[in-house]
Amino acid sequence: MKNAMPEAGGFFQRERNWHPPAFAPGYKSTVVRSPRRALISFPQTLSEITGPVFGHQMLGELDNDLTLNHARPGESAIGPRIIVYGKVLDENARPVPGVLVEFWQANAGGRYRHKKDGYLAPLDPNFGGCGRTITDAEGNYFFRTIQPGAYPWPNGINDWRPAHIHFSLFGHGFVQRLITQMYFEGDPMIWQCPIVNTIPDKRAVETLIATLDMQAAVPMDARAYKFDIVLRGRRATLFENKLEGN
Amino acid sequence: MMQQLRRLKETASQTAGPYVHIGLTPNLCEISGVYPEDLGARMVNEKTRGERITVKMRIFDGAGAVIKDALIEIWQADSDGLYNTPAETRGTADPNFTGWGRQASDMETGVFTFETIRPGRVPFPDGRLQAPHLTLWIVARGINLGLHTRMYFSDEETANAQDPVLSRLEHQDRAATLIAPREGDTYHFDIHLQGEKETVFFDV
Ligand SMILES: [Fe+3]
């Protein structure tokens, strides 16, 4: 018999005070895009606790290397070369394997490869700005990229986004779906950002700041940042079903 | 003092921003050559079982304007009510149906188009059958935490009337915000983020 808790139950209720509220007027776009009625709860069904599964075979060789995946042969993206690595855990502090992690970012000048980005910083012909990977059996992931630049955005007259990488994660259930952003240790712009400041609790912001890890750096190549991510945890069905192996 | 539970807190959400498509549908926004095709773009193939349907969705903001920079993902059962995932223990889902779709809207019209099949019925935890439905997750600039909702089908009146989720809504007139009318083989689902017609969103 296995003593591990079986993975079968529904997910813990989301702590909504830890996440940014829908209506956060310092970030002006939320004003007309935030639902105002109470959210409705119901017991999770298979529609909520299951989700699509992605296999490692779908990944291309360069999917986790943004310095090369949009570059001409023999060339690479411009900017400070970094490795971002970490572990995906759940609220029970257990590693989550098989998580599809997708990421996107601006180039080293703070410009996105997107029709709607008119910032005057130039595009880098060798940088697309997207990548993906899948966590291993211990919940680990990593990718290579360049450190993105800060950029101005239309909110207040002089609002700038701190350097950041956008993350999208698929856990094992559709209600674990999460999109967030990673920031960089030591960046003074973090605490001035209206989007960061939609998060009410400073401790929640701190978990979005990746730590410089010189021990994981590759000498003469790339520095490393560690960014662990926590997805919603799952209730064990100890008292609802018999334990596996019993 | 007593023992600590040692639970972690879920990583806080941040908006997907206006450039979510670079990350999640790069081919659509002209970043080609990185992935062979955008994930979730195709849910069905020639061999998929079930009734083919098209679902067209739009999202309106509180000022009544159509939002053109959002992204919607749907998750649904196959025509027998089974989910295509190893966690499905009631049987084996149709291998020719992914059950999961991801779309950006048309940049001009704001219309999201999903080519899929009508799902079968999935049980509620107490064993009652739910009406056929799609589970939706919506992200965009100005949305700080992805929104969960469902779409039901207008021509499933009997099943909808018995659905455990629809029937628990305190304000029954709001159930209509979750039901998509049918025109031919197409269902039209309009999502309102705010206002009198605000769609029911879920905390699940
Ligand atoms: Fe950004």
Side-chain angles (χ1 to χ4, degrees):
Chain A
M1 121 160 215
K2 265 165 65 177
N3 277 325
M5 296 258 216
E7 188 178 90
F11 294 94
F12 301 152
Q13 184 163 356
R14 209 159 219 166
E15 264 188 64
R16 295 211 166 241
N17 297 334
W18 185 250
H19 290 284
F23 177 71
Y27 173 23
K28 294 179 183 176
S29 298
T30 67
V31 174
V32 290
R33 294 184 169 198
S34 44
R36 300 298 165 87
R37 308 280 300 249
L39 302 178
I40 307 293
S41 294
F42 61 86
Q44 293 166 6
T45 75
L46 286 164
S47 309
E48 285 73 42
I49 66 176
T50 63
V53 169
F54 303 94
H56 290 260
Q57 75 287 345
M58 71 171 237
L59 297 174
E61 210 181 316
L62 295 178
D63 281 7
N64 69 342
D65 191 342
L66 283 71
T67 68
L68 294 179
N69 70 7
H70 195 263
R72 291 183 286 238
E75 300 184 13
S76 71
I78 290 172
R81 296 163 60 79
I82 60 170
I83 288 164
V84 177
Y85 79 94
K87 218 180 230 311
V88 180
L89 303 158
D90 68 13
E91 289 168 292
N92 294 310
R94 290 191 305 184
V96 191
V99 173
L100 173 66
V101 187
E102 297 166 285
F103 18 88
W104 66 101
Q105 62 171 87
N107 70 20
R111 172 83 182 266
Y112 281 99
R113 183 172 288 281
H114 195 283
K115 258 197 280 221
K116 283 203 220 131
D117 188 355
Y119 182 34
L120 47 80
L123 282 173
D124 174 353
N126 289 316
F127 187 71
C130 62
R132 63 188 179 188
T133 187
I134 294 177
T135 60
D136 69 13
E138 280 80 50
N140 298 301
Y141 75 91
F142 82 94
F143 60 97
R144 257 174 195 279
T145 185
I146 51 91
Q147 187 156 4
Y151 59 83
W153 59 296
N155 187 62
I157 198 70
N158 191 28
D159 283 330
W160 288 68
R161 294 304 325 281
H164 61 277
I165 300 177
H166 297 264
F167 276 72
S168 162
L169 295 108
F170 269 91
H172 299 173
F174 201 58
V175 292
Q176 279 181 306
R177 245 355 232 105
L178 181 70
I179 279 186
T180 189
Q181 302 183 28
M182 180 198 107
Y183 304 100
F184 292 85
E185 178 186 350
D187 185 348
M189 301 304 291
I190 294 170
W191 305 102
Q192 304 190 21
C193 174
I195 288 178
V196 172
N197 289 332
T198 59
I199 298 175
D201 193 322
K202 187 168 183 273
R203 292 169 303 165
V205 174
E206 283 163 350
T207 66
L208 301 183
I209 303 175
T211 309
L212 176 67
D213 179 2
M214 290 308 290
Q215 307 306 336
V218 182
M220 306 308 285
D221 178 350
R223 286 171 297 159
Y225 282 90
K226 179 180 96 90
F227 185 54
D228 290 343
I229 300 163
V230 180
L231 300 179
R232 288 171 74 175
R234 199 158 244 212
R235 286 197 307 275
T237 50
L238 284 175
F239 307 106
E240 295 165 45
N241 291 315
K242 57 179 187 179
L243 277 170
E244 190 186 337
N246 273 5
Chain B
M1 280 299 282
M2 54 195 171
Q3 295 196 359
Q4 302 290 305
L5 285 175
R6 293 222 181 84
R7 290 252 153 70
L8 304 175
K9 282 183 185 291
E10 186 187 13
T11 298
S13 174
Q14 290 269 263
T15 180
Y19 307 121
V20 58
H21 309 110
I22 293 177
L24 303 189
T25 58
N27 288 289
L28 189 83
C29 58
E30 292 161 27
I31 300 175
S32 51
V34 181
Y35 309 144
E37 65 175 355
D38 290 333
L39 271 188
R42 276 183 303 118
M43 301 177 70
V44 294
N45 62 34
E46 323 73 58
K47 290 186 255 167
T48 306
R49 297 193 298 264
E51 181 195 344
R52 298 302 168 105
I53 57 170
T54 301
V55 181
K56 290 192 180 288
M57 304 187 188
R58 290 183 298 177
I59 307 175
F60 294 87
D61 70 16
V66 177
I67 290 181
K68 296 172 182 171
D69 57 5
L71 181 113
I72 300 179
E73 291 184 2
I74 66 173
W75 174 238
Q76 66 165 98
D78 72 3
S79 57
D80 293 325
L82 298 173
Y83 280 104
N84 186 353
T85 172
E88 177 60 80
T89 54
R90 298 166 299 151
T92 304
D94 182 354
N96 293 301
F97 181 61
T98 68
W100 175 70
R102 170 191 274 173
Q103 293 290 340
S105 73
D106 180 287
M107 302 268 178
E108 304 300 320
T109 63
V111 175
F112 298 81
T113 304
F114 290 91
E115 300 294 344
T116 182
I117 52 114
R118 175 194 292 274
R121 299 179 71 173
V122 176
F124 203 62
D126 63 9
R128 282 182 291 166
L129 284 178
Q130 304 180 79
H133 62 273
L134 312 181
T135 299
L136 274 72
W137 185 69
I138 302 166
V139 292
R141 169 175 67 85
I143 294 177
N144 283 332
L145 175 59
L147 298 171
H148 287 279
T149 187
R150 284 181 168 198
M151 190 200 97
Y152 288 84
F153 299 83
S154 63
D155 48 356
E156 295 279 0
E157 280 172 41
T158 316
N160 289 344
Q162 297 162 350
D163 183 78
V165 174
L166 288 178
S167 58
R168 73 189 286 129
L169 297 175
E170 183 187 344
H171 302 101
Q172 269 302 304
D173 54 314
R174 298 194 70 210
T177 69
L178 300 179
I179 299 173
R182 178 173 195 158
E183 264 173 53
D185 293 330
T186 303
Y187 291 86
H188 295 270
F189 190 46
D190 283 348
I191 297 155
H192 296 267
L193 299 181
Q194 274 177 18
E196 257 167 64
K197 290 183 280 186
E198 182 176 315
T199 300
V200 172
F201 296 103
F202 296 115
D203 179 16
V204 276

PDB file of all heavy atoms in Angstrom, chain B residues 56-72:
ATOM      1  N   LYS B  56     -19.808  30.723 -31.978  1.00  0.00           N
ATOM      2  CA  LYS B  56     -19.252  32.071 -32.156  1.00  0.00           C
ATOM      3  C   LYS B  56     -19.492  32.875 -30.893  1.00  0.00           C
ATOM      4  O   LYS B  56     -20.614  32.948 -30.401  1.00  0.00           O
ATOM      5  CB  LYS B  56     -19.880  32.760 -33.374  1.00  0.00           C
ATOM      6  CG  LYS B  56     -19.427  32.122 -34.696  1.00  0.00           C
ATOM      7  CD  LYS B  56     -19.814  32.978 -35.887  1.00  0.00           C
ATOM      8  CE  LYS B  56     -19.368  32.341 -37.197  1.00  0.00           C
ATOM      9  NZ  LYS B  56     -17.907  32.404 -37.405  1.00  0.00           N
ATOM     10  N   MET B  57     -18.433  33.446 -30.375  1.00  0.00           N
ATOM     11  CA  MET B  57     -18.545  34.187 -29.117  1.00  0.00           C
ATOM     12  C   MET B  57     -18.058  35.611 -29.314  1.00  0.00           C
ATOM     13  O   MET B  57     -17.207  35.884 -30.159  1.00  0.00           O
ATOM     14  CB  MET B  57     -17.677  33.526 -28.041  1.00  0.00           C
ATOM     15  CG  MET B  57     -17.987  32.060 -27.798  1.00  0.00           C
ATOM     16  SD  MET B  57     -17.044  31.455 -26.375  1.00  0.00           S
ATOM     17  CE  MET B  57     -17.410  29.689 -26.484  1.00  0.00           C
ATOM     18  N   ARG B  58     -18.616  36.500 -28.502  1.00  0.00           N
ATOM     19  CA  ARG B  58     -18.107  37.879 -28.418  1.00  0.00           C
ATOM     20  C   ARG B  58     -18.057  38.271 -26.949  1.00  0.00           C
ATOM     21  O   ARG B  58     -18.831  37.759 -26.142  1.00  0.00           O
ATOM     22  CB  ARG B  58     -19.025  38.855 -29.163  1.00  0.00           C
ATOM     23  CG  ARG B  58     -19.009  38.705 -30.668  1.00  0.00           C
ATOM     24  CD  ARG B  58     -19.878  39.760 -31.338  1.00  0.00           C
ATOM     25  NE  ARG B  58     -21.272  39.626 -30.920  1.00  0.00           N
ATOM     26  CZ  ARG B  58     -22.250  40.451 -31.305  1.00  0.00           C
ATOM     27  NH1 ARG B  58     -21.969  41.480 -32.078  1.00  0.00           N
ATOM     28  NH2 ARG B  58     -23.494  40.261 -30.894  1.00  0.00           N
ATOM     29  N   ILE B  59     -17.150  39.179 -26.618  1.00  0.00           N
ATOM     30  CA  ILE B  59     -17.054  39.686 -25.248  1.00  0.00           C
ATOM     31  C   ILE B  59     -17.269  41.198 -25.282  1.00  0.00           C
ATOM     32  O   ILE B  59     -16.612  41.900 -26.060  1.00  0.00           O
ATOM     33  CB  ILE B  59     -15.663  39.394 -24.628  1.00  0.00           C
ATOM     34  CG1 ILE B  59     -15.319  37.912 -24.734  1.00  0.00           C
ATOM     35  CG2 ILE B  59     -15.616  39.854 -23.179  1.00  0.00           C
ATOM     36  CD1 ILE B  59     -13.907  37.582 -24.241  1.00  0.00           C
ATOM     37  N   PHE B  60     -18.189  41.669 -24.431  1.00  0.00           N
ATOM     38  CA  PHE B  60     -18.477  43.108 -24.354  1.00  0.00           C
ATOM     39  C   PHE B  60     -17.980  43.664 -23.027  1.00  0.00           C
ATOM     40  O   PHE B  60     -18.136  43.027 -21.976  1.00  0.00           O
ATOM     41  CB  PHE B  60     -19.985  43.345 -24.460  1.00  0.00           C
ATOM     42  CG  PHE B  60     -20.548  42.966 -25.797  1.00  0.00           C
ATOM     43  CD1 PHE B  60     -20.956  41.656 -26.050  1.00  0.00           C
ATOM     44  CD2 PHE B  60     -20.674  43.902 -26.808  1.00  0.00           C
ATOM     45  CE1 PHE B  60     -21.467  41.288 -27.292  1.00  0.00           C
ATOM     46  CE2 PHE B  60     -21.185  43.558 -28.047  1.00  0.00           C
ATOM     47  CZ  PHE B  60     -21.584  42.248 -28.295  1.00  0.00           C
ATOM     48  N   ASP B  61     -17.411  44.866 -23.075  1.00  0.00           N
ATOM     49  CA  ASP B  61     -16.987  45.511 -21.827  1.00  0.00           C
ATOM     50  C   ASP B  61     -18.158  46.299 -21.226  1.00  0.00           C
ATOM     51  O   ASP B  61     -19.258  46.334 -21.788  1.00  0.00           O
ATOM     52  CB  ASP B  61     -15.730  46.371 -22.040  1.00  0.00           C
ATOM     53  CG  ASP B  61     -15.976  47.624 -22.872  1.00  0.00           C
ATOM     54  OD1 ASP B  61     -17.145  48.032 -23.054  1.00  0.00           O
ATOM     55  OD2 ASP B  61     -14.980  48.213 -23.338  1.00  0.00           O
ATOM     56  N   GLY B  62     -17.892  46.956 -20.096  1.00  0.00           N
ATOM     57  CA  GLY B  62     -18.957  47.655 -19.379  1.00  0.00           C
ATOM     58  C   GLY B  62     -19.509  48.847 -20.130  1.00  0.00           C
ATOM     59  O   GLY B  62     -20.592  49.351 -19.806  1.00  0.00           O
ATOM     60  N   ALA B  63     -18.788  49.339 -21.140  1.00  0.00           N
ATOM     61  CA  ALA B  63     -19.274  50.449 -21.944  1.00  0.00           C
ATOM     62  C   ALA B  63     -20.015  49.943 -23.180  1.00  0.00           C
ATOM     63  O   ALA B  63     -20.413  50.732 -24.032  1.00  0.00           O
ATOM     64  CB  ALA B  63     -18.106  51.351 -22.346  1.00  0.00           C
ATOM     65  N   GLY B  64     -20.181  48.617 -23.295  1.00  0.00           N
ATOM     66  CA  GLY B  64     -20.914  48.054 -24.423  1.00  0.00           C
ATOM     67  C   GLY B  64     -20.057  47.824 -25.659  1.00  0.00           C
ATOM     68  O   GLY B  64     -20.583  47.446 -26.712  1.00  0.00           O
ATOM     69  N   ALA B  65     -18.758  48.049 -25.558  1.00  0.00           N
ATOM     70  CA  ALA B  65     -17.881  47.852 -26.713  1.00  0.00           C
ATOM     71  C   ALA B  65     -17.410  46.399 -26.787  1.00  0.00           C
ATOM     72  O   ALA B  65     -17.221  45.741 -25.764  1.00  0.00           O
ATOM     73  CB  ALA B  65     -16.672  48.777 -26.608  1.00  0.00           C
ATOM     74  N   VAL B  66     -17.226  45.906 -28.027  1.00  0.00           N
ATOM     75  CA  VAL B  66     -16.711  44.551 -28.227  1.00  0.00           C
ATOM     76  C   VAL B  66     -15.202  44.561 -27.958  1.00  0.00           C
ATOM     77  O   VAL B  66     -14.481  45.419 -28.471  1.00  0.00           O
ATOM     78  CB  VAL B  66     -16.978  44.084 -29.673  1.00  0.00           C
ATOM     79  CG1 VAL B  66     -16.381  42.698 -29.905  1.00  0.00           C
ATOM     80  CG2 VAL B  66     -18.466  44.042 -29.950  1.00  0.00           C
ATOM     81  N   ILE B  67     -14.749  43.606 -27.151  1.00  0.00           N
ATOM     82  CA  ILE B  67     -13.330  43.500 -26.826  1.00  0.00           C
ATOM     83  C   ILE B  67     -12.630  42.689 -27.919  1.00  0.00           C
ATOM     84  O   ILE B  67     -13.118  41.643 -28.327  1.00  0.00           O
ATOM     85  CB  ILE B  67     -13.165  42.812 -25.457  1.00  0.00           C
ATOM     86  CG1 ILE B  67     -13.640  43.757 -24.355  1.00  0.00           C
ATOM     87  CG2 ILE B  67     -11.736  42.376 -25.222  1.00  0.00           C
ATOM     88  CD1 ILE B  67     -13.494  43.182 -22.964  1.00  0.00           C
ATOM     89  N   LYS B  68     -11.490  43.198 -28.400  1.00  0.00           N
ATOM     90  CA  LYS B  68     -10.814  42.530 -29.516  1.00  0.00           C
ATOM     91  C   LYS B  68      -9.456  41.957 -29.142  1.00  0.00           C
ATOM     92  O   LYS B  68      -8.761  41.414 -29.994  1.00  0.00           O
ATOM     93  CB  LYS B  68     -10.685  43.507 -30.684  1.00  0.00           C
ATOM     94  CG  LYS B  68     -12.062  43.905 -31.227  1.00  0.00           C
ATOM     95  CD  LYS B  68     -11.987  44.996 -32.249  1.00  0.00           C
ATOM     96  CE  LYS B  68     -13.421  45.358 -32.688  1.00  0.00           C
ATOM     97  NZ  LYS B  68     -13.440  46.557 -33.523  1.00  0.00           N
ATOM     98  N   ASP B  69      -9.053  42.116 -27.888  1.00  0.00           N
ATOM     99  CA  ASP B  69      -7.711  41.634 -27.527  1.00  0.00           C
ATOM    100  C   ASP B  69      -7.742  40.541 -26.456  1.00  0.00           C
ATOM    101  O   ASP B  69      -6.771  40.354 -25.736  1.00  0.00           O
ATOM    102  CB  ASP B  69      -6.816  42.804 -27.088  1.00  0.00           C
ATOM    103  CG  ASP B  69      -7.407  43.607 -25.922  1.00  0.00           C
ATOM    104  OD1 ASP B  69      -8.460  43.198 -25.389  1.00  0.00           O
ATOM    105  OD2 ASP B  69      -6.817  44.633 -25.555  1.00  0.00           O
ATOM    106  N   ALA B  70      -8.863  39.827 -26.359  1.00  0.00           N
ATOM    107  CA  ALA B  70      -8.979  38.782 -25.335  1.00  0.00           C
ATOM    108  C   ALA B  70      -8.578  37.419 -25.900  1.00  0.00           C
ATOM    109  O   ALA B  70      -8.298  37.275 -27.098  1.00  0.00           O
ATOM    110  CB  ALA B  70     -10.405  38.729 -24.795  1.00  0.00           C
ATOM    111  N   LEU B  71      -8.546  36.435 -25.027  1.00  0.00           N
ATOM    112  CA  LEU B  71      -8.283  35.054 -25.416  1.00  0.00           C
ATOM    113  C   LEU B  71      -9.247  34.170 -24.625  1.00  0.00           C
ATOM    114  O   LEU B  71      -9.453  34.386 -23.435  1.00  0.00           O
ATOM    115  CB  LEU B  71      -6.840  34.691 -25.085  1.00  0.00           C
ATOM    116  CG  LEU B  71      -6.450  33.259 -25.468  1.00  0.00           C
ATOM    117  CD1 LEU B  71      -5.422  33.289 -26.599  1.00  0.00           C
ATOM    118  CD2 LEU B  71      -5.891  32.471 -24.303  1.00  0.00           C
ATOM    119  N   ILE B  72      -9.865  33.212 -25.325  1.00  0.00           N
ATOM    120  CA  ILE B  72     -10.791  32.295 -24.656  1.00  0.00           C
ATOM    121  C   ILE B  72     -10.295  30.867 -24.828  1.00  0.00           C
ATOM    122  O   ILE B  72      -9.878  30.474 -25.923  1.00  0.00           O
ATOM    123  CB  ILE B  72     -12.230  32.398 -25.233  1.00  0.00           C
ATOM    124  CG1 ILE B  72     -12.787  33.824 -25.055  1.00  0.00           C
ATOM    125  CG2 ILE B  72     -13.164  31.385 -24.554  1.00  0.00           C
ATOM    126  CD1 ILE B  72     -14.194  33.999 -25.617  1.00  0.00           C
TER     127      ILE B  72
END
